[in-house]
Amino acid sequence: MIRKIFSYVFLCIILFNTTGYYGLFIGWKYRHDAGMRARLDGERYRQQELRTLKIPIAIPYVFDSPEFARVDGTFEHHGSFYRLVKQKLSSDTLILVCIRDEGIRKIHDVFGTVAHTFSGQTHSQNPAPKVLISFIKEYIVTSTLLHEYTSGWTMNLQRSVCCKILVPSFAPSIEWPPRLQG
């Protein structure tokens, strides 16, 4: 029994070591998405929270939909995240109804903060001066080589040089310059 407990603990440690905090954020985002889907499917929201977007779109051979259909999706606009609730196509206009999603914004902000702290640079530190970076670039040697990896699309061409002398095989019927008669 003790061996099973230790094996599960070590398995969790290895899993956390492999995925890191990214696995926790994926789980947090999945749980939030499932909760939001359940909330929107059950129509547990206030009408004041809804935003309507009208997008002109011309799709041939598509009929107008008489009522709204439930859709799922997210998008970001000017730093705010929105979740699609329903949509309707009406006379070359796509009408989208969406709701602001504060939970996904919090997840995004926390993920950005954690990623920034793991990059080794805090907000208080200044980045390396550009003069130092440009100075270092002067002494770093870089080279670019192009190699041919496949021979299927290449073909060696050999020029054959031969001299041909062209001899006219007809006599001109008009004499140049023409003479005036008369």
Side-chain angles (χ1 to χ4, degrees):
M1 181 68 174
I2 300 271
R3 286 183 181 179
K4 282 186 178 183
I5 292 172
F6 278 126
S7 65
Y8 287 131
V9 168
F10 286 127
L11 183 65
C12 289
I13 290 172
I14 289 171
L15 183 64
F16 183 72
N17 188 23
T18 304
T19 61
Y21 284 104
Y22 193 71
L24 293 176
F25 283 108
I26 289 174
W28 188 16
K29 186 177 181 306
Y30 177 76
R31 194 174 99 198
H32 173 72
D33 288 345
M36 280 298 290
R37 250 185 261 116
R39 178 181 166 207
L40 296 177
D41 287 342
E43 296 183 2
R44 295 187 307 258
Y45 50 84
R46 293 178 288 148
Q47 292 296 322
Q48 294 85 7
E49 294 177 306
L50 297 178
R51 306 278 186 245
T52 303
L53 297 173
K54 293 183 178 180
I55 302 170
I57 188 169
I59 303 173
Y61 308 111
V62 175
F63 299 106
D64 293 346
S65 52
E67 57 188 41
F68 284 98
R70 174 77 176 95
V71 292
D72 191 31
T74 59
F75 65 93
E76 178 186 4
H77 180 68
H78 296 299
S80 298
F81 290 88
Y82 295 92
R83 186 171 295 272
L84 297 175
V85 179
K86 50 190 173 181
Q87 74 178 10
K88 174 177 145 178
L89 185 65
S90 175
S91 65
D92 292 344
T93 303
L94 178 64
I95 302 170
L96 295 172
V97 178
C98 57
I99 190 169
R100 181 176 276 176
D101 191 357
E102 290 297 322
I104 197 74
R105 186 190 56 79
K106 289 177 185 176
I107 293 171
H108 186 266
D109 290 345
V110 171
F111 183 72
T113 304
V114 169
H116 189 72
T117 58
F118 280 129
S119 69
Q121 187 178 31
T122 61
H123 292 288
S124 62
Q125 291 178 341
N126 292 330
K130 292 188 177 190
V131 174
L132 180 64
I133 292 172
S134 63
F135 183 72
I136 290 173
K137 285 182 181 179
E138 294 293 327
Y139 295 99
I140 295 176
V141 178
T142 60
S143 63
T144 304
L145 297 174
L146 297 176
H147 293 286
E148 183 179 307
Y149 289 114
T150 60
S151 62
W153 292 98
T154 61
M155 182 172 60
N156 292 330
L157 296 177
Q158 296 177 357
R159 288 189 189 184
S160 59
V161 179
C162 64
C163 295
K164 293 184 180 179
I165 299 173
L166 299 175
V167 177
S169 61
F170 65 93
S173 61
I174 300 175
E175 294 181 17
W176 292 98
R179 294 185 193 147
L180 284 176
Q181 293 181 3

